[in-house]
Amino acid sequence: PSITRGVTVDIPNVSWDDIGGLKDLKKKLQQAIEWPLKYSKTFSRLGVKPMRGILLHGPPGCSKTTLAKAAASASQAPFFSLSCSELYSMYVGEGEHLLRETFRKARLAAPSIIFFDEVDSVAAKRGGSESGSTAVGERLLSTLLTEMDGLEHAKGILVLGATNRVHAIDDALLRPGRFDLVLHVPPPDIEDRYEILCVLTRNMKLDNDVDLRQIAEDTDLATGAELEGICMEAGIDALREDKSEDKSTTVICHRHFQTVLRARQNSNLI
Ligand code: ATP
């Protein structure tokens, strides 16, 4: 990928199948993202305006970024990813410049996707003493609004945003023609956790005794990111337990997962 401070560009290699659970959400995103990029001519023939922006909100570690990448990967669209907290911390004017430049490059590369991570840091509600907005934030937000409005004539560019704080986002950004669709990415329920565990362990050497359903049951409140951590730690625990020199026969057993879960419970991590 090409990387400038605050922005990366590449075509990610993430499939929808790499994301466990969230069936309905994946379907909605597939339709909203892939169709307009893949069938832009059909949309104009039908006189249907494609979505311009989709906002994903929900707790950290529940796959918002991964969903955005899967969408870009499935439509083979260049993925311009901006870290809004980095934009926010740039010198005066530098963040706005980077925003405008990114939209310009995305237009040249269309069909393309622009992804704003932590979009609340450049889109805090304006005005009012309790708002989180600042002069820097307001300038970035107004640049973002101008650029999104300018997309009217640019076909095949989709803006995706991710946030953990949807209530902090300025209403102007949620008007039709900007982020048209707001989707909640919830923490995984027990069935989702089972499916996530299946995805995360599909290339791991598991013993037959590993009961992923039981692990899903024992990890109430864990996010996808935490489940990823648990699988990795179970692997390390298996390696630690195997005292053989070459470890060529190490496999990960149910007890290794249990050890990790006990340790996490003791330190109140889950
Ligand atoms: P943040 O708000 O912290 O940026 P996020 O919601 O964007 O978090 P991701 O960065 O997409 O979350 O997920 C973090 C990690 O957790 C990813 O590397 C991914 O592998 C794993 N993960 C999260 N959810 C899932 C899932 N449903 N299926 C498989 N892996 C998942």
Side-chain angles (χ1 to χ4, degrees), residues 17-22 58-68 115 117-118 162-164 185 188 192 195-197 199-200 223-228:
D17 294 338
D18 295 334
I19 301 167
L22 302 170
C62 292
S63 79
K64 298 182 295 296
T65 308
T66 316
L67 284 164
F115 176 62
D117 202 7
E118 301 171 87
T163 180
N164 311 325
V185 186
D192 283 341
E195 287 174 28
I196 294 172
L197 286 165
V199 168
L200 292 173
T223 63
E226 282 160 346
L227 292 174
E228 194 176 29

Side-chain angles (χ1 to χ4, degrees), residues 227-248:
L227 292 174
E228 194 176 29
I230 289 167
C231 291
M232 207 181 71
E233 285 174 37
I236 303 284
D237 196 57
L239 277 172
R240 197 180 296 132
E241 191 193 84
D242 185 349
K243 300 284 183 257
S244 72
E245 189 48 44
D246 65 356
K247 302 194 191 295
S248 59

Side-chain angles (χ1 to χ4, degrees), residues 8-263:
T8 60
V9 191
D10 64 350
I11 299 183
N13 187 15
V14 178
S15 116
W16 293 111
D17 294 338
D18 295 334
I19 301 167
L22 302 170
K23 265 195 199 79
D24 292 341
L25 187 76
K26 284 198 278 186
K27 200 176 283 165
K28 269 194 200 144
L29 272 175
Q30 257 166 322
Q31 294 174 354
I33 298 174
E34 284 181 46
W35 286 0
L37 296 176
K38 263 191 182 161
Y39 310 117
S40 70
K41 286 203 178 103
T42 312
F43 269 76
S44 49
R45 184 171 62 78
L46 294 173
V48 176
K49 275 196 189 158
M51 306 247 167
R52 212 171 306 163
I54 300 173
L55 183 65
L56 302 171
H57 74 97
C62 292
S63 79
K64 298 182 295 296
T65 308
T66 316
L67 284 164
K69 286 186 178 169
S73 185
S75 37
Q76 282 296 293
F79 183 72
F80 294 77
S81 173
L82 283 131
S83 156
C84 293
S85 55
E86 279 207 44
L87 278 186
Y88 187 82
S89 67
M90 288 178 173
Y91 287 117
V92 177
E94 205 186 336
E96 290 99 296
H97 175 72
L98 190 61
L99 261 181
R100 282 193 295 268
E101 265 302 285
T102 304
F103 273 87
R104 190 183 66 80
K105 287 183 182 157
R107 275 194 293 270
L108 288 175
S112 58
I113 290 179
I114 309 178
F115 176 62
F116 289 96
D117 202 7
E118 301 171 87
V119 70
D120 47 277
S121 44
V122 301
K125 279 194 166 65
R126 291 171 292 187
S129 55
E130 278 167 35
S131 83
S133 80
T134 58
V136 176
E138 290 195 13
R139 272 204 308 274
L140 284 166
L141 174 57
S142 88
T143 309
L144 177 58
L145 293 174
T146 311
E147 290 295 335
M148 283 189 83
D149 291 346
L151 289 183
E152 186 127 37
H153 304 291
K155 295 204 175 65
I157 300 176
L158 187 77
V159 179
L160 288 175
T163 180
N164 311 325
R165 306 188 309 134
V166 72
H167 300 297
I169 297 228
D170 194 274
D171 297 334
L173 210 53
L174 303 176
R175 280 196 209 120
R178 289 164 181 173
F179 285 109
D180 309 278
L181 184 64
V182 177
L183 293 175
H184 182 224
V185 186
D189 61 16
I190 184 168
E191 193 54 38
D192 283 341
R193 289 198 300 279
Y194 171 69
E195 287 174 28
I196 294 172
L197 286 165
C198 290
V199 168
L200 292 173
T201 57
R202 70 190 158 187
N203 296 319
M204 293 175 85
K205 265 268 170 289
L206 297 187
D207 190 88
N208 285 336
D209 80 339
V210 175
D211 183 351
L212 294 181
R213 289 224 170 257
Q214 184 62 49
I215 299 169
E217 210 166 289
D218 295 343
T219 46
D220 197 20
L221 302 184
T223 63
E226 282 160 346
L227 292 174
E228 194 176 29
I230 289 167
C231 291
M232 207 181 71
E233 285 174 37
I236 303 284
D237 196 57
L239 277 172
R240 197 180 296 132
E241 191 193 84
D242 185 349
K243 300 284 183 257
S244 72
E245 189 48 44
D246 65 356
K247 302 194 191 295
S248 59
T249 54
T250 312
V251 288
I252 304 158
C253 306
H254 196 73
R255 66 175 178 282
H256 300 124
F257 283 94
Q258 283 172 318
T259 306
V260 174
L261 293 185
R262 255 196 316 273

